[in-house]
Amino acid sequence: MAATSPLPRWAPTPSLSRPLWRWGWGGGATPDARADGGVTGWTSSFFAAVFPWTRRRRVDDRWAPSAGGGVGTFDGVEVPLPAAQAVSLPRAAADVVDDPAVFLTWEDVRVTVPGRIRGSPPARILDGITGHARPGEVLAIMGPSGCGKTTLLDTLAGRLGPEMNQTGVILINGRQEKLAFGTSAYVTQDNVLMSTLSVREAVYYSAHLQLPDTMLASEKRAHAERVIREMGLSDTMDTRIGGRITKGISGGQRKRMSICIEMLTRPRLLFLDEPTSGLDSAASYHVMSHITRVAAREGMTVIAAVHQPSGDVFDLFHGLLLLAYGRMVFFGTVSNATEFFTQSGFPCPHQRNPSDHFLRTINKDFDEGTMESSKANRKTAAEATNILTNAYHSSTYSEKTANEIGGTPFRRKEQASFLTKLLVLTRRSFLNMHRDIGYYWMRLGIYLGIGICLGTIFYQVGYSYSSIQSRCEVIMYTTALVTFMAIGGFPSFVEDIKLFRRERLSGHYGVMEFVISNTLSATPYLAVIAVIPGAMMYYLTGLTRGAEHFAYFVATLCMCTLLVESMMMIIAVIVPDFLMGIIIGAGIQGMMMLNGGFFRLPNELPKPVWKYPCYYISFHKYAVQGFYKNEFIGLSFPSDQLIEANATISGLQVLKERLQVELGYSKWVNLAILFGMMVTYRMIFFVIVKIAEELRLKLRGIRFRRLK
């Protein structure tokens, strides 16, 4: 079925001009464009970011500084080449065709969720929504709160939750295709950003993650600064974003930052969820006017869910999809919307913002306020909505969107390599942990306080018979209390998981890069937390002397801390709520602690459940027994003089007869088991996230196959 309205002219026009971005992407870059002082590929991005002296400014006329002060990188504007230079272009560059535009259509889209009460019918969120979005235009989705604007955006972007059921047809250039990286971007309503970074740093790191290795580090920085300036954030470039601890940029500036990050790759399809929320009228107009200009200039398809735009912002939209409680009231051009309301008996009063009038007419949350039609009949908003819905479906405004709209299949844009992403994420995470007072510095202070307390209370326990019990207590407190404090990093884990989910859905990087980079960046901090307080406790209490014994002590303490953090990451991805996560993490550690072999000796534990399997899956068991072996093997103590005078007891006897330690393997095996448990927990985290992702993709594929 052909569309009743003509298709937009979005096919590229051949000319001797080239889009600047094409020279920075793979496949079209010339050898000299990939050179940067001898450092190429991922090394260019990493070394230029870490070592500023490796950066070299280009003097090539093709990369001369632009008027904005930055290196001339891709901004989507086609710049004519001088005649001499155009003639010398290589054939591959002269024949470059821009990425095809995206024509998005959807027909009879319905979304339901299961009823809250068993046996109740499913709740309908969207009911038969049909429409299309054209390249170079901005389509506004409007309606009262709770009408399904965000749900429609999530449906079109393939981000519906697993509990939602979708039917209908969604086509991209006439095909059922997945949205590949660089083709689409989604700016969520919630601004999920790394609070410890400045605006400049956050956009820089995102540029290094999204843009390909064939692009120079200086070009990435120049493009990032240009996007920051376009969003009016020049004055806040070096201001930290801020969050739960420190005050940073405003909420409106955070919204503009979120748009900045998603527009770095100049996607062909852009979804915006409440892009003007938190912005004043002037900022809303400037942001939306910039997005409108970029969309028109580059053939970008923009779909924005807007709650209540100002009159100036409303005039920027090309199309309007008006929803009322899951039903489509109107779809068409903005100019036709006013005419439609007038013909339906609800004209817009003189000098009133049309968007305000539309929303006031169909908002039935306050139905005691009645709407007035042109016939002077007073009608409720529910009645007005029914009249408008029926009028739309029976009028000439209701255009059937074409099921088959031809277009060129788009291709996945090139992005940074795995190693580049890993290095950038590690460096960003390292910087975040360094600046996060709650994650590192406060915990270090608490660990130092605990070390001083334990060291002074058990100061120089000596080698008497009673020192056996004192050494066991020091080991128990070290294993239990110090590792228990590792749950203090849970709030930071929750924020990291939120940021990871947003960036993962946008295709910035994968689960593997996140897990490895988080481990690499956290290990140095946890090592310092283990070494400094561990040294204080070890030497103040007078435990067994020797470099090997001390090294094993701090290595085991560090491994336990890493293990607990890995366990808390699993809890954070399953239970993202802060309070519930802390309670669950503390409860699991408390249960492991009880089965660790100290409060109750291993042979005295009830065999069902507590001995098998809880005792063997508790990391406290391997940590405590490793500490015991490290401490007692090689020592001897005088026996209890009340039982046997002038006799000694060896450390091996203490381990075997009194502490019931398993002596069939060395202490290093205990440390290796702890390391294996830490790796296992990280792998479990990886598997959980991957399963959730695969489930989402599978459900999305099922939804695409469900025709009306």
Side-chain angles (χ1 to χ4, degrees):
M1 183 182 298
T4 58
S5 58
L7 292 178
R9 297 190 301 271
W10 45 266
T13 302
S15 66
L16 285 178
S17 60
R18 74 174 190 275
L20 289 180
W21 66 269
R22 176 60 60 187
W23 287 92
W25 292 81
T30 57
D32 62 330
R34 290 191 294 266
D36 189 17
V39 184
T40 61
W42 65 266
T43 53
S44 171
S45 302
F46 178 68
F47 282 100
V50 180
F51 309 110
W53 56 85
T54 64
R55 304 170 189 161
R56 292 178 58 185
R57 183 176 177 272
R58 290 297 304 247
V59 296
D60 193 319
D61 54 350
R62 280 176 294 186
W63 297 105
S66 61
V71 178
T73 56
F74 76 92
D75 60 356
V77 182
E78 295 199 356
V79 181
L81 295 175
Q85 196 171 347
V87 173
S88 63
L89 282 176
R91 180 179 179 84
D95 295 339
V96 162
V97 178
D98 197 357
D99 283 346
V102 174
F103 197 108
L104 184 66
T105 63
W106 57 97
E107 186 172 353
D108 198 25
V109 172
R110 302 173 187 270
V111 175
T112 59
V113 293
R116 296 183 178 180
I117 302 176
R118 179 175 295 181
S120 62
R124 183 168 293 178
I125 301 178
L126 295 178
D127 186 8
I129 309 300
T130 299
H132 58 263
R134 301 172 181 272
E137 297 182 356
V138 178
L139 172 66
I141 302 175
M142 290 178 52
S145 298
C147 69
K149 299 188 296 294
T150 300
T151 302
L152 180 57
L153 272 186
D154 291 341
T155 303
L156 299 178
R159 295 193 177 198
L160 278 182
E163 73 282 357
M164 294 185 174
N165 183 33
Q166 170 199 333
T167 59
V169 180
I170 301 176
L171 302 176
I172 302 172
N173 289 349
R175 298 172 177 83
Q176 292 186 357
E177 298 190 46
K178 295 181 180 180
L179 297 175
F181 170 79
T183 301
S184 68
Y186 192 115
V187 180
T188 60
Q189 186 173 355
D190 298 328
N191 304 311
V192 182
L193 301 166
M194 193 166 282
S195 61
T196 58
L197 301 181
S198 66
V199 172
R200 188 195 306 269
E201 291 169 339
V203 180
Y204 277 9
Y205 281 123
S206 186
H208 280 280
L209 287 173
Q210 297 185 61
L211 302 179
D213 292 340
T214 51
M215 204 173 173
L216 306 182
S218 58
E219 296 159 14
K220 294 180 182 180
R221 290 194 299 272
H223 175 62
E225 289 188 4
R226 181 182 298 109
V227 176
I228 292 173
R229 288 195 300 270
E230 288 171 348
M231 286 295 153
L233 297 172
S234 301
D235 295 336
T236 60
M237 274 192 180
D238 298 316
T239 304
R240 292 190 184 180
I241 297 171
R244 66 182 188 275
I245 297 178
T246 59
K247 179 76 171 77
I249 60 178
S250 66
Q253 290 168 336
R254 287 190 179 95
K255 173 63 70 176
R256 283 183 276 169
M257 252 212 71
S258 299
I259 298 175
C260 273
I261 291 173
E262 295 301 332
M263 291 190 67
L264 282 169
T265 58
R266 293 295 195 244
R268 313 309 295 166
L269 180 59
L270 178 63
F271 298 97
L272 301 171
D273 191 6
E274 302 287 356
T276 60
S277 63
L279 303 179
D280 56 58
S281 59
S284 299
Y285 175 77
H286 287 299
V287 169
M288 290 308 302
S289 63
H290 167 67
I291 293 174
T292 304
R293 288 195 304 271
V294 173
R297 185 178 67 198
E298 303 185 14
M300 181 188 299
T301 305
V302 181
I303 304 175
V306 187
H307 182 63
Q308 193 166 7
S310 63
D312 292 336
V313 173
F314 185 74
D315 292 337
L316 295 173
F317 300 141
H318 301 88
L320 174 65
L321 197 161
L322 195 59
L323 296 177
Y325 307 97
R327 301 167 62 191
M328 190 167 67
V329 175
F330 175 81
F331 175 79
T333 63
V334 171
S335 58
N336 287 339
T338 304
E339 180 183 354
F340 168 72
F341 269 73
T342 301
Q343 293 179 355
S344 301
F346 301 93
C348 180
H350 184 59
Q351 293 184 343
R352 177 181 290 180
N353 182 1
S355 63
D356 293 340
H357 173 68
F358 299 156
L359 294 179
R360 185 181 299 182
T361 303
I362 61 177
N363 190 346
K364 64 181 181 181
D365 290 340
F366 308 95
D367 250 353
E368 63 273 10
T370 57
M371 308 309 301
E372 187 173 343
S373 71
S374 60
K375 298 180 181 180
N377 294 326
R378 304 182 66 84
K379 300 183 182 298
T380 64
E383 293 172 339
T385 300
N386 291 330
I387 292 173
L388 291 168
T389 303
N390 295 330
Y392 171 75
H393 288 289
S394 62
S395 68
T396 58
Y397 294 104
S398 179
E399 295 181 355
K400 190 72 172 178
T401 304
N403 289 330
E404 295 293 337
I405 298 180
T408 307
F410 54 79
R411 57 184 178 274
R412 180 183 179 91
K413 287 186 177 180
E414 184 184 355
Q415 58 183 136
S417 64
F418 173 84
L419 189 55
T420 298
K421 293 179 182 179
L422 181 60
L423 294 173
V424 172
L425 286 173
T426 302
R427 190 168 186 265
R428 187 180 72 171
S429 181
F430 191 89
L431 182 62
N432 177 52
M433 293 176 182
H434 173 71
R435 292 179 178 175
D436 192 340
I437 297 177
Y439 175 79
Y440 175 65
W441 297 104
M442 290 185 65
R443 284 203 294 171
L444 179 60
I446 293 175
Y447 274 54
L448 291 173
I450 293 176
I452 293 174
C453 291
L454 286 177
T456 52
I457 291 175
F458 293 94
Y459 182 73
Q460 298 300 320
V461 294
Y463 295 91
S464 63
Y465 179 79
S466 62
S467 70
I468 298 176
Q469 180 66 24
S470 299
R471 292 172 189 272
C472 293
E473 291 171 351
V474 169
I475 289 172
M476 188 278 296
Y477 287 129
T478 300
T479 306
L481 293 181
V482 178
T483 57
F484 190 85
M485 292 304 300
I487 65 174
F490 185 77
S492 297
F493 300 154
V494 173
E495 298 299 323
D496 289 345
I497 293 298
K498 289 180 180 178
L499 181 64
F500 160 72
R501 281 176 170 161
R502 179 185 69 79
E503 294 179 331
R504 176 57 184 157
L505 283 174
S506 298
H508 295 178
Y509 52 86
V511 184
M512 183 67 72
E513 294 98 313
F514 174 72
V515 174
I516 297 177
S517 64
N518 183 273
T519 304
L520 293 176
S521 57
T523 300
Y525 291 108
L526 299 180
V528 172
I529 288 177
V531 170
I532 298 178
M536 294 174 58
M537 289 185 292
Y538 198 86
Y539 288 103
L540 283 175
T541 55
L543 298 180
T544 303
R545 305 291 181 179
E548 177 188 336
H549 294 279
F550 173 72
Y552 181 88
F553 182 85
V554 296
T556 303
L557 189 59
C558 179
M559 196 57 61
C560 289
T561 309
L562 268 170
L563 193 150
V564 173
E565 289 216 345
S566 302
M567 182 181 69
M568 296 305 294
M569 287 182 68
I570 297 175
I571 297 175
V573 76
I574 298 176
V575 186
D577 181 74
F578 167 70
L579 183 59
M580 291 180 61
I582 290 290
I583 294 173
I584 292 174
I588 292 175
Q589 280 212 75
M591 188 171 63
M592 287 185 175
M593 201 182 301
L594 290 174
N595 295 283
F598 177 84
F599 296 101
R600 187 78 167 168
L601 291 176
N603 294 338
E604 298 174 0
L605 284 171
K607 288 182 172 54
V609 180
W610 303 115
K611 181 71 177 288
Y612 306 101
C614 290
Y615 172 68
Y616 289 97
I617 63 176
S618 171
F619 75 90
H620 293 83
K621 176 231 184 204
Y622 305 100
V624 167
Q625 292 202 5
F627 281 137
Y628 282 164
K629 295 174 184 177
N630 185 60
E631 183 61 27
F632 287 103
I633 292 179
L635 296 183
S636 60
F637 305 90
S639 64
D640 190 347
Q641 299 299 312
L642 297 178
I643 299 176
E644 185 177 1
N646 299 324
T648 59
I649 181 174
S650 67
L652 286 175
Q653 289 179 288
V654 173
L655 295 176
K656 184 176 181 180
E657 300 173 4
R658 182 168 178 176
L659 302 177
Q660 299 179 5
V661 173
E662 300 171 1
L663 297 175
Y665 49 88
S666 70
K667 62 183 180 182
W668 300 105
V669 175
N670 290 96
L671 182 59
I673 293 174
L674 291 174
F675 176 78
M677 294 181 71
M678 185 272 294
V679 173
T680 301
Y681 282 150
R682 296 273 170 168
M683 291 179 63
I684 291 174
F685 169 78
F686 173 82
V687 169
I688 291 175
V689 177
K690 287 295 291 184
I691 288 177
E693 179 183 359
E694 293 297 330
L695 179 62
R696 180 181 63 85
L697 293 176
K698 182 178 179 181
L699 289 174
R700 181 186 170 195
I702 293 174
R703 290 168 184 148
F704 270 126
R705 289 193 296 270
R706 286 178 179 169
L707 303 180
K708 66 174 183 178

